Amino acid sequence: MKVTGASIIIKKLLEEGVEYIFGYPGGSVIPLFDELYNFTDRIKLIQPRHEQGGTHAADGYARSTGKTGVVVVTSGPGATNTVTGIATAYMDSVPLVIITGQVPVSMMGSDAFQEVDTTAITLPITKANFLIKDIKELTPALDLAFHIAKSGRPGPVLIDIPSDIQKALIDERKIVKGDIKNYSPRHDIDDEKINKVYNMLSESKKPLIISGGGIIISEATEILKRFMEKNNIPVITTLMGKGIYPSREELYFDGLGMHGTYYGNYAVQNSDLILALGVRFSDRILGNVEKFAPFAKIVHVDIDRSEIEKNVQPIIGIEGDVKEVLEKFLSFPELKTDFSDWIKELNQQKKEFPLSYEKGKKLKPQYLIELANKYFPEDTIVVSDVGQNQMWTAQFYKFTKPRTFLTTGGLGTMGFGLPASMGAKVGNPDKQVLVISGDGGFQMNIQELITIKRYALNVKILIVDNAYLGMVKQWQELFYNKRYSATPFTDNPDFRAIAEVIGIKSKTLKDWDKAEEIIKELALSKEPMLIHALIDPDENVFPMVPAGASLNEILLNKEG
Amino acid sequence: MNKTKRIVNVLVHDRPNVLVKLISFFEKRGFRVENINLIKTDKPGISKYNMIISGEDNNIGKSSKQLYKFVETIDVNLL
């Protein structure tokens, strides 16, 4: 029997268990959308108002569920509109499969209508991409794409499929499967290295675990908790690693880096042995790399071999799945060394230099985040945008479960929050989803409010509006003589009115005294709701390690 | 800083654009690709690129390890 390219694609999606696709039609994907029309009972389409929104939504779906997010868009502008979303997913190791339409094979290279060299554009921001020039290549490419997106260190994979290939016929018996074994990274964890690390741990006085996004991706939070609690090792997390919280709070010291905590950075700078698990040592956590962790031997575990020795030189680098590595560590007997002095020292720092803000007067974003933390259930998925809102959320919301904090850590994409929250809700209909966004980022994908309305996605939206591009303004205030070039957004519209026109319940929040009641209402609302909070425009994110400074040179407030 | 030259051999799965990836990999890190040879191996689907890379410092070796980021990379050797 002969089958079309489009039917091969849909069959593959069904085979992979894809329940949702995030898609937007266009000239080069009409055959594919036509085939999809036969399967609307099995594959549901979430159609954004802009392809960038759709890509972030697929990303939010993937981050919150661990499944691969699927995007379908047309050629040319459809494809280029996904680029920011693909780069965002690539930087944070999120599995996506992006299917783009392309002009017919015979027209490629002729500057045809809506033609763009999609695979060239996306080459540096995908794990792999494929351009299909013959229907025989389609099945192998689809097999490889879904495999590569999820295997090893996950990431986005793109398949560019000309419209004539979608319509072309192939005899089913001639279809060849993709040879995935060539792209199945094997990691034989070196037991000798594991032994060495265990010995180093037993000789250490001030060990510290830095838990990164790899711990979340490999579903290793429970095993890490068991390991650290068994051996009394303190833990801090990177931005991407949020979502592990030990049952004993005395072992947890929040984050590190530019907007980490004072005590988290203190722990790094005073530790004698750091276990960096599923971490890529981004410049935002390192500060001045020469002065990073001056007393520590560093053990670096990562599934991506190219990360080891990239930014810091470990004494031992272990290439492998961090969950398997932790299972090996856990099989060792409990460490005899007593770390209680070290834990006491860190808790003393935590007590002396806690995260803080001024209470009871002007409306502060940190207060709203703490209130949200109080009234939303523990398994709520919180999505941030980028900038001050992101850092406040990371600092003041206590994330106790994996996949509950979705944030664009690597690329720092404004406009990520709102659409990503849609994908999170689609993938987690039984959980609450709260997006905390600044006014700038919210307006970058504000059109997706219409998508939220269309699919009745019960997303809770908290806009912390300081009428500035706040993070840039903070740098201008501290390092550029308060020259606020291009950062004031004092002409922001009334977001409550916009939400209401679209049909989303909304309230404006101006006063400290009303905050608790309104955030409670947000948490309890049975339908999507938006709070437009007009916060103190002068509030900044502290502590702060200025770019390029050592983690010791931390500013606790404007005065230093 | 001394200018150095190193030979970097990369064994890869044959895929479109591997050559582009390899060249841009070195160029964006500030190195120069002086020479590149593609050698077919006796295993179908696997090729070897022999490259001569020059740069201002001694980091060619360190950077080359990051070639493992590519899903196509099987092995990297420095001479």
Side-chain angles (χ1 to χ4, degrees):
Chain A
M1 203 181 82
K2 290 200 166 184
V3 291
T4 64
S7 72
I8 290 173
I9 298 165
I10 300 295
K11 207 175 141 211
K12 177 64 183 177
L13 297 181
L14 291 170
E15 203 180 287
E16 288 288 329
V18 173
E19 293 171 83
Y20 296 95
I21 65 169
F22 299 86
Y24 202 105
S28 296
V29 278
I30 296 175
L32 182 52
F33 272 84
D34 187 65
E35 181 66 20
L36 186 65
Y37 210 46
N38 296 326
F39 292 90
T40 46
D41 54 331
R42 295 175 66 188
I43 302 177
K44 290 183 195 71
L45 172 70
I46 303 294
Q47 182 179 7
R49 280 309 210 250
H50 187 296
E51 289 96 341
Q52 184 191 349
T55 315
H56 291 320
D59 176 315
Y61 175 86
R63 287 183 204 238
S64 61
T65 62
K67 298 177 196 164
T68 299
V70 178
V71 180
V72 181
V73 295
T74 192
S75 62
T80 54
N81 279 345
T82 65
V83 166
T84 303
I86 297 173
T88 305
Y90 186 66
M91 287 288 268
D92 290 343
S93 311
V94 179
L96 295 183
V97 169
I98 303 99
I99 297 172
T100 52
Q102 184 54 275
V103 301
V105 176
S106 60
M107 292 173 77
M108 285 178 64
S110 72
D111 296 332
F113 177 65
Q114 294 194 328
E115 181 185 4
V116 78
D117 191 346
T118 305
T119 49
I121 289 173
T122 57
L123 196 65
I125 53 169
T126 49
K127 269 185 87 178
N129 65 22
F130 301 83
L131 170 60
I132 312 300
K133 286 190 166 162
D134 186 312
I135 190 165
K136 288 202 285 288
E137 300 162 5
L138 186 55
T139 299
L142 285 162
D143 288 346
L144 280 176
F146 276 93
H147 174 74
I148 291 172
K150 278 283 278 182
S151 61
R153 179 178 180 173
V157 180
L158 182 140
I159 320 174
D160 200 23
I161 312 176
S163 58
D164 54 341
I165 303 279
Q166 297 167 36
K167 289 187 279 189
L169 291 162
I170 184 172
D171 188 331
E172 253 186 322
R173 287 164 302 182
K174 287 191 180 148
I175 294 176
V176 193
K177 289 259 149 205
D179 189 4
I180 59 168
K181 69 172 190 308
N182 285 342
Y183 298 93
S184 302
R186 274 182 51 114
H187 304 282
D188 298 319
I189 295 159
D190 187 342
D191 282 328
E192 205 178 308
K193 285 184 182 173
I194 303 276
N195 277 325
K196 267 192 202 157
V197 175
Y198 180 77
N199 288 335
M200 282 163 63
L201 265 173
S202 60
E203 285 160 19
S204 152
K205 302 250 177 330
K206 299 182 170 189
L208 177 71
I209 291 168
I210 305 180
S211 178
I215 291 285
I216 308 287
I217 294 169
S218 73
E219 312 276 348
T221 48
E222 282 311 309
I223 191 160
L224 173 56
K225 266 158 83 169
R226 287 218 300 279
F227 170 67
M228 54 173 289
E229 285 172 13
K230 175 179 167 183
N231 296 304
N232 282 316
I233 306 174
V235 67
I236 57 176
T237 79
T238 67
L239 189 67
M240 299 306 296
K242 297 229 168 262
I244 170 155
Y245 202 87
S247 39
R248 284 162 48 212
E249 199 172 334
E250 68 192 41
L251 292 176
Y252 186 72
F253 299 95
D254 295 280
L256 76 160
M258 185 174 276
H259 291 296
T261 54
Y262 181 88
Y263 43 92
N265 285 329
Y266 178 95
V268 174
Q269 295 304 79
N270 291 280
S271 165
D272 65 1
L273 177 64
I274 288 175
L275 299 189
L277 307 177
V279 169
R280 69 178 178 86
F281 288 111
S282 102
D283 55 283
R284 284 301 190 258
I285 71 164
L286 286 175
N288 181 342
V289 65
E290 307 294 330
K291 294 177 183 165
F292 178 80
F295 307 115
K297 293 173 181 160
I298 294 174
V299 175
H300 190 184
V301 182
D302 204 279
I303 199 161
D304 181 353
R305 183 173 180 178
S306 73
E307 287 298 344
I308 293 165
E309 298 178 29
K310 186 179 88 177
N311 292 342
V312 300
Q313 188 61 42
I315 189 156
I316 296 180
I318 300 173
E319 176 197 346
D321 183 335
V322 73
K323 190 176 184 182
E324 288 170 33
V325 172
L326 277 167
E327 272 160 5
K328 286 192 186 264
F329 280 140
L330 205 57
S331 67
F332 282 91
E334 192 181 316
L335 290 168
K336 293 278 179 291
T337 336
D338 177 13
F339 303 130
S340 55
D341 282 349
W342 169 230
I343 293 164
K344 230 181 267 168
E345 180 182 341
L346 294 179
N347 277 294
Q348 185 57 34
Q349 295 295 324
K350 194 172 175 180
K351 223 167 108 187
E352 253 176 79
F353 302 101
L355 290 168
S356 66
Y357 60 94
E358 191 194 37
K359 291 177 185 161
K361 289 181 196 158
K362 291 179 183 164
L363 189 61
K364 299 284 183 181
Q366 301 96 325
Y367 179 51
L368 301 178
I369 289 160
E370 284 185 337
L371 285 172
N373 202 165
K374 181 174 167 191
Y375 287 106
F376 277 83
E378 200 185 350
D379 63 354
T380 298
I381 297 165
V382 178
V383 188
S384 82
D385 207 79
V386 163
Q388 290 180 317
N389 66 85
Q390 178 184 33
M391 294 299 114
W392 287 319
T393 306
Q395 288 179 337
F396 286 88
Y397 205 102
K398 199 158 92 178
F399 297 100
T400 59
K401 293 183 185 319
R403 301 191 186 281
T404 56
F405 181 44
L406 314 187
T407 194
T408 153
L411 198 69
T413 309
M414 281 175 70
F416 170 83
L418 189 70
S421 76
M422 306 189 310
K425 189 64 193 180
V426 166
N428 302 270
D430 302 328
K431 288 184 187 166
Q432 285 252 38
V433 174
L434 166 67
V435 50
I436 299 171
S437 180
D439 46 306
F442 173 59
Q443 288 176 92
M444 278 203 183
N445 272 315
I446 193 169
Q447 76 285 347
E448 301 308 337
L449 283 176
I450 307 165
T451 314
I452 287 170
K453 176 64 183 172
R454 174 193 269 198
Y455 296 99
L457 298 171
N458 189 4
V459 170
K460 309 298 175 61
I461 305 157
L462 174 61
I463 309 298
V464 286
D465 176 1
N466 57 4
Y468 279 98
L469 298 174
M471 188 57 97
V472 178
K473 183 207 172 211
Q474 175 167 342
W475 285 48
Q476 290 170 332
E477 182 178 341
L478 297 172
F479 314 119
Y480 289 85
N481 288 324
K482 304 190 180 179
R483 285 158 54 85
Y484 299 130
S485 177
T487 45
F489 264 32
T490 42
D491 53 355
N492 274 334
D494 179 353
F495 298 140
R496 185 200 55 77
I498 291 177
E500 286 199 349
V501 167
I502 292 166
I504 292 174
K505 188 165 80 171
S506 182
K507 278 200 169 160
T508 306
L509 170 59
K510 288 176 185 161
D511 304 317
W512 179 282
D513 296 338
K514 294 271 167 54
E516 181 145 12
E517 179 196 322
I518 290 181
I519 296 293
K520 194 173 168 187
E521 187 185 344
L522 182 71
L524 296 176
S525 173
K526 299 279 182 237
E527 56 179 302
M529 183 173 181
L530 181 147
I531 302 296
H532 182 192
L534 302 166
I535 59 163
D536 178 6
D538 296 323
E539 189 61 23
N540 280 334
V541 182
F542 286 107
M544 177 180 194
V545 177
S550 109
L551 297 187
N552 292 328
E553 300 164 54
I554 188 164
L555 309 173
L556 290 170
N557 50 48
K558 281 178 200 178
E559 283 73 46
Chain B
M1 294 266 186
N2 291 327
K3 196 167 166 143
T4 49
K5 267 190 198 180
R6 299 287 297 269
I7 297 173
V8 183
N9 292 337
V10 193
L11 197 66
V12 296
H13 292 294
D14 274 332
R15 295 240 309 121
N17 290 326
V18 169
L19 178 62
V20 179
K21 276 185 169 182
L22 290 174
I23 292 172
S24 70
F25 174 90
F26 285 104
E27 301 220 317
K28 79 174 167 192
R29 287 168 176 77
F31 304 115
R32 212 179 118 82
V33 180
E34 303 272 351
N35 193 311
I36 189 160
N37 273 312
L38 167 61
I39 301 160
K40 292 276 169 203
T41 66
D42 47 10
K43 284 187 190 152
I46 294 179
S47 301
K48 191 170 169 187
Y49 287 89
N50 289 350
M51 312 171 81
I52 299 173
I53 307 295
S54 67
E56 289 298 317
D57 60 25
N58 248 329
N59 278 334
I60 299 171
K62 190 175 170 233
S63 293
S64 296
K65 288 182 188 162
Q66 290 166 43
L67 286 164
Y68 285 107
K69 186 159 180 80
F70 299 146
V71 291
E72 295 88 354
T73 306
I74 301 166
D75 199 14
V76 179
N77 266 301
L78 272 102
L79 303 177

